[in-house]
Amino acid sequence: MERKNISLQTLRRLPVYLHYLRSVRQQYENISATFIAERLGLNDVQVRKDLASVSGSGRPKTGYRTDQLIGQLETYLGCNLRSPAVLVGSGNLGKALLAYNGFDDYGLEIIAAFDCAPERVGTTVVGKPILPMERLGPICADAHVQLGIITVPASSAQQVADELVAYGIRAIWNFAPTILRVPAGVQVENENLASSLAVLSRHFRTGAAENE
Amino acid sequence: MERKNISLQTLRRLPVYLHYLRSVRQQYENISATFIAERLGLNDVQVRKDLASVSGSGRPKTGYRTDQLIGQLETYLGCNLRSPAVLVGSGNLGKALLAYNGFDDYGLEIIAAFDCAPERVGTTVVGKPILPMERLGPICADAHVQLGIITVPASSAQQVADELVAYGIRAIWNFAPTILRVPAGVQVENENLASSLAVLSRHFRTGAAENE
């Protein structure tokens, strides 16, 4: 299928549709955009448009064949591929991400973690090794790794990002509460937990309704 | 200080400034918006505007007194308060959040976790108890909990959200890959890791520069 240029907002919703569809594939052979929209509490028109961008229009009345739609979403999201990733920083959050098996469903495989703490190096988490920082470069090169996950403290995050970029990483998933500077062509997604917390806290402390 | 109505985008950046300022408070007695902007790779005008919303204008030439600015950010973000929170779902991600000590800095204290798996109930993570679901209501009431964190699988997230809302929770931090339906007046922040992953994966698979 031709890869269409869909918006970032649509792209962010596709895993949500996929997850929902997988959970109901036994129950519904066919499923309509309207039905999905209602179940997920989303706007009908938006869902229709999102799904059209990966699967064309559903049939009148019956909608999409559920299995086919799942397959198209999986293909679009690259779930059938295996993209190797490395993780730097094996503290609590790093370990949780290493142990989390949900990424497999989206085609991501964390092949190893790296840490500079000698007491962590040499151990494993769910069978995945925690290696010394000196191994980062060789492993990125050998496995053609393009995605790096940063779970080190903020104070060392930029240095780690610089190393990853030097080793050919093209996408960084940053969990450190800081802003990274990277060259053009490298994509950064920030998971800033403190920022989310700030939004939530203001809500319940002030009681103000947010206008998002 | 009067609490000004700042934008959600500004609010999301405040923890980043605070984190940076804390890291350099020993080095710089005074600090300017321009300097902070440069160090964080942000737009000068934006940083100036963000900081003005919590601290007024910096002095010409010298900028802000670092300690004072930290104090104002802390007050604004409620870092000096102690807001109790509960967490539901003590799998890997739940445990990582329980063990993570970075939330204290933002005034959040996870007082207990809840789970329906008998083998997890009764254990502790960094001294915090994992309790049975029956205790959720009484503890929310006793401790006047207003924030609930959801780290259960997507299939049970809505049910957990409904329970939390029924127990008076006004803000939900949702890590389950699904969309929650909540009444008006309840704020939800979604941390959808699969959505971030979709964005990153498209970037390195297609090599297309994102226009975000």
Side-chain angles (χ1 to χ4, degrees):
Chain A
M1 199 188 85
E2 202 189 334
R3 185 172 284 269
K4 288 170 198 157
N5 196 15
I6 67 167
S7 80
L8 208 59
Q9 288 318 308
T10 293
L11 182 59
R12 286 188 196 279
R13 284 188 292 267
L14 297 184
V16 176
Y17 301 135
L18 176 56
H19 196 281
Y20 172 70
L21 290 167
R22 282 171 171 169
S23 74
V24 298
R25 77 193 307 166
Q26 306 298 336
Q27 290 161 262
Y28 307 112
E29 198 179 333
N30 294 289
I31 198 160
S32 71
T34 310
F35 184 84
I36 296 171
E38 196 222 299
R39 287 304 171 101
L40 293 175
L42 291 175
N43 178 284
D44 191 7
V45 177
Q46 186 181 67
V47 174
R48 196 176 305 283
K49 223 173 127 190
D50 287 348
L51 295 180
S53 67
V54 291
S55 181
S57 305
R59 290 188 185 185
K61 287 184 187 166
T62 54
Y64 295 93
R65 277 192 44 218
T66 310
D67 275 337
Q68 193 174 25
L69 186 54
I70 288 174
Q72 287 162 327
L73 284 165
E74 285 176 342
T75 302
Y76 193 91
L77 291 169
C79 300
N80 315 310
L81 305 174
R82 276 285 153 268
S83 301
V86 291
L87 180 145
V88 184
S90 65
N92 281 314
L93 187 60
K95 276 188 199 152
L97 294 178
L98 267 180
Y100 184 58
N101 57 14
F103 298 143
D104 295 8
D105 289 346
Y106 296 96
L108 177 83
E109 189 192 4
I110 304 175
I111 57 172
F114 298 83
D115 208 300
C116 57
E119 68 274 15
R120 289 179 186 158
V121 167
T123 62
T124 63
V125 173
V126 297
K128 290 170 187 166
I130 299 175
L131 305 172
M133 288 302 287
E134 308 87 78
R135 299 287 308 283
L136 182 57
I139 284 187
C140 286
D142 290 351
H144 303 288
V145 176
Q146 299 203 292
L147 174 67
I149 304 171
I150 297 183
T151 48
V152 297
S155 51
S156 33
Q158 183 63 53
Q159 193 193 325
V160 169
D162 293 344
E163 282 193 56
L164 288 170
V165 169
Y167 298 142
I169 292 287
R170 301 192 44 217
I172 293 178
W173 201 1
N174 175 39
F175 287 80
T178 188
I179 292 164
L180 299 175
R181 278 167 295 177
V182 296
V186 175
Q187 170 97 3
V188 176
E189 275 282 298
N190 291 300
E191 301 289 341
N192 194 331
L193 301 182
S195 292
S196 299
L197 200 48
V199 174
L200 286 169
S201 298
R202 179 169 74 170
H203 178 74
F204 66 76
R205 284 192 190 122
T206 63
E210 298 293 340
N211 306 308
E212 199 164 1
Chain B
M1 198 188 87
E2 204 189 334
R3 185 172 283 270
K4 289 170 198 159
N5 198 17
I6 67 169
S7 80
L8 209 59
Q9 289 316 310
T10 294
L11 182 59
R12 286 187 196 279
R13 285 188 293 269
L14 297 184
V16 176
Y17 302 135
L18 176 57
H19 196 282
Y20 172 70
L21 290 168
R22 281 172 171 167
S23 74
V24 299
R25 76 193 308 167
Q26 306 296 337
Q27 291 161 260
Y28 307 113
E29 198 179 335
N30 295 289
I31 200 160
S32 71
T34 310
F35 185 86
I36 296 172
E38 197 223 297
R39 287 306 172 99
L40 293 175
L42 292 174
N43 179 283
D44 192 8
V45 177
Q46 186 181 67
V47 174
R48 197 176 303 282
K49 224 172 126 191
D50 287 349
L51 295 180
S53 68
V54 291
S55 181
S57 305
R59 290 189 187 186
K61 290 183 186 168
T62 53
Y64 295 93
R65 279 193 42 219
T66 310
D67 275 337
Q68 194 175 25
L69 186 53
I70 289 174
Q72 287 163 327
L73 284 165
E74 287 177 340
T75 303
Y76 194 92
L77 292 169
C79 301
N80 315 309
L81 305 174
R82 277 286 155 268
S83 301
V86 290
L87 181 146
V88 184
S90 64
N92 282 315
L93 187 60
K95 276 189 199 152
L97 294 178
L98 266 181
Y100 183 58
N101 57 15
F103 299 143
D104 295 9
D105 289 346
Y106 296 96
L108 178 83
E109 188 193 3
I110 305 176
I111 56 173
F114 297 84
D115 209 299
C116 58
E119 66 276 16
R120 289 179 185 158
V121 168
T123 63
T124 63
V125 174
V126 295
K128 289 170 187 166
I130 299 175
L131 305 173
M133 289 300 287
E134 307 87 79
R135 298 286 309 282
L136 182 57
I139 283 187
C140 286
D142 290 352
H144 303 288
V145 177
Q146 299 203 293
L147 175 67
I149 304 171
I150 297 183
T151 48
V152 297
S155 52
S156 32
Q158 183 64 53
Q159 192 192 328
V160 168
D162 293 344
E163 281 194 59
L164 288 170
V165 169
Y167 298 144
I169 292 288
R170 300 193 45 218
I172 292 178
W173 201 0
N174 176 39
F175 287 80
T178 188
I179 291 163
L180 299 175
R181 279 167 293 179
V182 295
V186 175
Q187 171 96 6
V188 176
E189 274 283 297
N190 291 300
E191 301 289 340
N192 194 331
L193 301 182
S195 293
S196 299
L197 200 48
V199 173
L200 286 169
S201 299
R202 178 169 73 169
H203 178 73
F204 66 74
R205 284 190 190 122
T206 63
E210 298 292 340
N211 306 309
E212 201 164 0

